[in-house]
Amino acid sequence: MVTQAQNAKLVRTGPGTPMGNLFRRYWIPAFLSEEVPTPDCPPVRVKLLSEDLLAFRDSEGRVGLVDEFCPHRRVSLWFGRNEMGGIRCAYHGWKFSASGECLEVPSEEASGTFKKSVRLLSYPCIEQGGVVWTYMGPPELKPPFPEFEWMQVPASHRYVCKRIQESNYLQAMEGGIDSSHVSFLHSGELHTDPLHKGTQGAQYQRDATPQFEVMESAGGLLIGARRRADGGKSYWRITQWIMPWYTMIPPYGDHALHGHAWVPMDDENCYVWSMTHHPSRPLSTDERAAMESGQGIYAELIPGTYRTVANKRNDYLIDREAQKKGIYYSGVKGIAMQDASLQESMGPIVDRSLERLASTDIAIVKARRRLLAAADAVADGTQPPGLDPATHRVRSASFVLPPEVPLADVVEEVTAVVEGAHTSI
């Protein structure tokens, strides 16, 4: 259990908070490259860690991520003109570069010195894997750029999307490291969803009493969930949790690998990033169509937004008849929205001091402890885990072992990133 004080420390991520200081030490997936597709296209609002920001692509194709509000009178630069190498405020024409430099102050151009005293807050950006990443921490402590496998494969092997969830990042992320709920909440989908059905792993998920073995890794946690398999063997599902908010979902058969990033917008909302890739082949037309239509770990989005069609204002389109028939265990369609509906039902920030945890929650307990310890370490001047790109070069896995074989004997081999097929049944 956590106290209310510990809970507040875990969930508050704004400027100056312990967890906010920790998260600002990492490169952050900020927005999709497709949101600013061409030079001088319209700017977009981006909210990260309770900061209101603005993204734009300038005339030379450079991406900027800056304070949304003009330093002159604090009006939103979202109404500005993206033109001729910068974003120009529509109120008085002040203009700024992608790096935050003040390029023009029309009313003060007689001397040309005033603009040198003005600067717009900006954060560095790098584009990779179809995503624009930013670093919001102390410049002198900027870490190496991430090296997750999904970022490295060809675009034909990868699909990346995001959605907005109306809850704190932590209760969303904790669902991503909770392997036990799959046997209940997603039990209908495992045998019908095109990205899961027809695999031995989906069959073994019927065992609703998994036994957990959780190990600390260099980057976070390695979470093993063991279920009964045929012939008295053990079916293992290995989830990777990489600091501070990444999860790698164990695969099914030759289906692609999936993962998430749970990135705080503010304390009551988060971006849920979903990343799918296959290490050795392009994603098929059917796989892409399934993901684009909101199947698997994806959700159907309201066109032109990153908000979901099913949401708390329409009770997630719950179908009680489908619930009775076992088509959808909770009555909500889709793996993503089954998770989101229950996580949002906790309220924007759940009071964890009221929880009654069980043995299957061991990964959640360890992740909370590691986050709290990392926040304390940063406050003491120590580098947090998960910054080294080597900690990103791992995979999730699913496999069968004889019951007498310890997980520790095989886990390094089955989770290594190597050429060829991934370890999956």
Side-chain angles (χ1 to χ4, degrees), residues 266-330:
D266 53 31
D267 293 343
E268 297 187 352
N269 301 272
C270 64
Y271 294 115
V272 180
W273 288 86
S274 300
M275 302 83 71
T276 293
H277 78 282
H278 200 289
S280 59
R281 64 166 174 83
L283 300 177
S284 70
T285 300
D286 288 344
E287 285 173 321
R288 286 191 179 275
M291 291 181 273
E292 289 169 357
S293 64
Q295 299 185 72
I297 63 170
Y298 296 87
E300 184 180 2
L301 301 178
I302 298 171
T305 78
Y306 294 99
R307 295 194 177 274
T308 55
V309 170
N311 55 68
K312 65 182 180 182
R313 282 159 288 281
N314 56 28
D315 288 325
Y316 308 94
L317 304 175
I318 191 168
D319 185 336
R320 293 294 187 185
E321 190 60 30
Q323 183 181 35
K324 283 184 179 181
K325 294 178 178 178
I327 299 171
Y328 311 127
Y329 192 82
S330 70

Side-chain angles (χ1 to χ4, degrees), residues 170-231:
L170 187 58
Q171 60 212 56
M173 188 188 77
E174 288 176 345
I177 57 177
D178 171 15
S179 190
S180 65
H181 79 274
V182 177
S183 300
F184 291 94
L185 183 59
H186 305 317
S187 55
E189 240 77 358
L190 288 180
H191 306 293
T192 60
D193 185 88
L195 302 179
H196 296 83
K197 68 180 182 180
T199 63
Q200 195 67 52
Q203 297 296 322
Y204 291 150
Q205 291 276 66
R206 290 174 175 169
D207 181 357
T209 57
Q211 303 297 309
F212 282 81
E213 189 168 334
V214 182
M215 312 173 192
E216 284 203 359
S217 65
L221 296 175
L222 190 149
I223 303 160
R226 183 180 64 189
R227 290 176 168 86
R228 293 183 295 272
D230 295 337

Side-chain angles (χ1 to χ4, degrees), residues 363-378:
I364 290 170
V365 171
K366 287 181 176 291
R368 292 174 184 176
R369 289 175 178 169
R370 192 131 206 218
L371 283 169
L372 289 169
D376 289 342
V378 165

Side-chain angles (χ1 to χ4, degrees), residues 30-31 43-48 51-58 62-71 74-78 82 85-88 95-102 119-125 132 134-136:
F31 54 97
V44 295
R45 297 183 179 99
V46 177
K47 191 158 193 175
L48 287 174
E51 295 188 38
D52 293 306
L53 305 171
L54 191 82
F56 68 99
R57 191 182 296 275
D58 71 11
R62 293 179 292 257
V63 175
L65 186 63
V66 299
D67 187 349
E68 181 188 342
F69 302 102
C70 178
R74 301 299 293 168
V75 304
S76 174
L77 290 169
W78 184 81
N82 185 11
I87 187 81
R88 187 185 295 277
K95 184 178 177 181
F96 301 91
S97 72
S99 61
E101 178 187 4
C102 184
R119 188 164 189 87
L120 188 63
L121 173 69
S122 69
Y123 293 118
C125 293
V132 178
T134 192
Y135 175 72
M136 300 171 67

